[in-house]
Amino acid sequence: MTTFEGALFWGFLLVYGVVMYVLSPKSKTANSFYKGADDQGNPVGQWSLTASIFISWIFAKSVTNAANLGAAYGVTGGLAYASYWLSIPVAGYIIYLIRTQTGARSLQDFLTSRFGRLAALAFAAAILIRLYNEVWSNTAVVGGYFGLPGEWEYYVAAMLFTAFTLAYSLKGGLRSSIFTDVIQAVVFVFFVGAVLFLIIPANDTSSLLSNGEFRLDAGFDLLLVALLQMFSYPFHDPVLTDRGFVNREKTMLKSFVVAGLLGFVAVFIFSLVGVHARINGIEAMGNAPAAVGQSLGLAALFFMSVVMMTSAGSTLDSTFTSLAKSLAVDLPRLARRASERLPSIRVGAVVMVIFAVAGNLPMFAGTDILKATTISGTMVMGLAPVFLFYGFTQWSPWSFHLSFWTGLGLGVLLAAGLIPASWAIGEGKYAMLLGVNAYGFLLCSAGFFLPLVVRRLAGRSLAAGEA
């Protein structure tokens, strides 16, 4: 970076941190800090909730991945990654059914009532791993706009960004997270529009939107993976699901549907950054937005960095608040060591500080940000039958465990490269991922229904014997 470029980028980072802290509201009660209510106890409004869901699920790593896939596969890659956002309306509708049919106040409450306390604890462990991954995978993207991994600028920018986000998260918890999400959503949309203003005139629109092929070896396999994970992936992300319980059921559902559709459109549009790189022969080098920004000049690179900071900030503050709620509220209740009364704000604040530090350790070790999505999504495929088919049982702990642990086991085997080659569907890069998710869904579903079938057969045998 030149002196001017450094002043521009570092200056924006500092201004961003100060503005977010000054504007974010301070939570005076535990209900505000953990549940997002205002000082009078009123729940979050519909449009604030919509904006929060929209921007908090547009992670910095997600828009980077979308652009990278656009560079690799054209619009097929962009559609594949954007399809993950269609799982938001799916999750909203299922949470709506859970709330209206069971009266549960959280997913942990629901799982405990239908599948037992051990099921809820296993689920809690899965989401904690997910939240831990969200810290480093987003701060690393921001650091990448200030330097390369290994350079001091990379790490200082990432940690400074973490400190700013932590500061306003400590100030207001979920209330400040949702409030700043609205600001971040507006900034994100504006600068994505600015990026498109630079990209679209540089290309023929028809070639930009038609570049790519719908073949299994050309990104279509990942699109099918996204559609399969639609029924499991969103449920291990409390950043999303916590927002399913902060307002009335119908208001929540409307917010989820609108946010999901907007997210799909926004992520697909940003993937065109990668398609631009593909058409113009720009080497993505693992970070298509940065590569395209550099090729288009300082203004474009700055716009890209603003998009990344706002998306990463909205995800990171939501991650901190979800970690606080999970460890300070949900887990103690599951362990029967807490009453229904919310803990003090200080307990949640301590959790945030610990994970702000520990959550960045993988960034210093170096790792692949795409794996934070695809592999974790595969490991929790066993949640799909649990949430899709819960209506078939009032109480069946074995149904959860046979489904959940089967999916987790397959995800671990996939990550270790121990799945037989015969499981692959097609010959594309994601052929094995598609096969594991397709066959895995069938195996997990079989595991879910097995205890119900055995119980039904045992009941019939008992009845026949009595007759």
Side-chain angles (χ1 to χ4, degrees):
M1 283 187 181
T2 65
T3 302
F4 174 74
E5 291 172 345
L8 180 63
F9 281 74
W10 288 102
F12 178 80
L13 179 58
L14 293 171
V15 170
Y16 168 84
V18 172
V19 169
M20 287 296 102
Y21 182 82
V22 170
L23 293 181
S24 62
K26 181 178 177 61
S27 287
K28 299 177 181 178
T29 65
N31 191 43
S32 176
F33 189 85
Y34 293 109
K35 294 187 175 182
D38 62 17
D39 291 337
Q40 289 72 44
N42 299 314
V44 182
Q46 178 180 335
W47 293 111
S48 294
L49 182 60
T50 301
S52 179
I53 296 168
F54 165 75
I55 192 63
S56 63
W57 237 50
I58 298 183
F59 322 127
K61 67 179 176 63
S62 296
V63 287
T64 300
N65 287 338
N68 288 344
L69 289 167
Y73 302 110
V75 294
T76 308
L79 284 172
Y81 208 76
S83 294
Y84 276 100
W85 274 256
L86 297 179
S87 66
I88 296 179
V90 172
Y93 181 66
I94 293 176
I95 292 174
Y96 172 83
L97 293 178
I98 288 173
R99 291 182 62 183
T100 55
Q101 293 176 357
T102 71
R105 293 176 296 172
S106 69
L107 291 186
Q108 284 83 354
D109 283 349
F110 161 73
L111 291 172
T112 302
S113 67
R114 292 280 173 130
F115 305 105
R117 197 169 297 274
L118 285 178
L121 286 171
F123 176 74
I127 64 176
L128 284 176
I129 294 172
R130 163 62 187 258
L131 289 172
Y132 181 80
N133 283 335
E134 289 303 333
V135 178
W136 63 262
S137 61
N138 282 281
T139 58
V141 172
V142 174
Y145 282 83
F146 292 82
L148 296 174
E151 296 179 348
W152 70 267
E153 294 93 343
Y154 174 86
Y155 298 112
V156 170
M159 294 309 296
L160 192 59
F161 178 75
T162 301
F164 285 141
T165 308
L166 175 64
Y168 73 77
S169 298
L170 291 172
K171 182 180 179 183
L174 184 57
R175 183 185 178 191
S176 67
S177 174
I178 292 175
F179 180 86
T180 53
D181 282 346
V182 176
I183 300 172
Q184 289 158 340
V186 173
V187 174
F188 174 85
V189 170
F190 176 82
F191 279 95
V192 166
V195 169
L196 287 177
F197 182 77
L198 295 174
I199 288 177
I200 291 179
N203 299 276
D204 177 63
T205 306
S206 61
S207 63
L208 193 66
L209 295 176
S210 61
N211 188 277
E213 299 177 83
F214 287 91
R215 302 195 324 266
L216 285 178
D217 61 349
F220 189 65
D221 49 2
L222 184 61
L223 174 59
L224 295 178
V225 169
L227 295 177
L228 284 170
Q229 292 187 353
M230 184 183 299
F231 303 103
S232 58
Y233 184 80
F235 293 104
H236 84 309
D237 182 13
V239 168
L240 177 67
T241 57
D242 282 353
R243 285 158 170 75
F245 294 87
V246 299
N247 209 320
R248 292 180 293 274
E249 291 88 347
K250 289 186 177 180
T251 301
M252 175 276 298
L253 180 57
K254 291 177 183 176
S255 295
F256 269 63
V257 171
V258 174
L261 295 177
L262 290 176
F264 172 84
V265 172
V267 172
F268 174 71
I269 286 175
F270 197 82
S271 73
L272 297 179
V273 170
V275 180
H276 168 83
R278 176 184 171 93
I279 292 174
N280 292 276
I282 300 171
E283 183 64 38
M285 298 178 295
N287 192 341
V292 171
Q294 290 171 350
S295 72
L296 292 176
L298 179 60
L301 185 60
F302 177 69
F303 293 163
M304 296 288 188
S305 69
V306 173
V307 168
M308 295 304 162
M309 284 187 211
T310 52
S311 58
S314 66
T315 303
L316 192 57
D317 62 43
S318 298
T319 298
F320 287 147
T321 56
S322 290
L323 280 165
K325 181 175 179 293
S326 295
L327 289 172
V329 180
D330 296 333
L331 276 180
R333 286 179 178 176
L334 285 176
R336 296 178 177 175
R337 296 180 181 275
S339 63
E340 291 298 309
R341 185 178 178 181
L342 291 171
S344 70
I345 293 176
R346 183 176 300 176
V347 178
V350 170
V351 171
M352 289 183 182
V353 172
I354 291 173
F355 275 87
V357 177
N360 274 303
L361 295 179
M363 176 186 65
F364 290 92
T367 188
D368 183 357
I369 60 173
L370 182 56
K371 291 181 179 178
T373 298
T374 55
I375 298 300
S376 67
T378 299
M379 287 183 176
V380 296
M381 73 172 82
L383 292 176
V386 172
F387 289 104
L388 285 175
F389 307 133
Y390 74 87
F392 286 92
T393 178
Q394 293 295 319
W395 176 256
S396 183
W398 277 107
S399 289
F400 175 91
H401 291 292
L402 289 177
S403 179
F404 178 79
W405 294 108
T406 297
L408 185 63
L410 289 172
V412 170
L413 291 175
L414 175 65
L418 299 177
I419 299 292
S422 58
W423 279 51
I425 297 178
E427 297 179 353
K429 181 179 179 180
Y430 302 100
M432 183 59 73
L433 187 66
L434 175 58
V436 171
N437 276 272
Y439 299 132
F441 177 77
L442 296 177
L443 289 173
C444 292
S445 297
F448 181 88
F449 282 108
L450 181 61
L452 306 183
V453 173
V454 170
R455 186 186 306 165
R456 180 70 61 87
L457 293 176
R460 288 180 179 177
S461 298
L462 182 61
E466 292 176 348

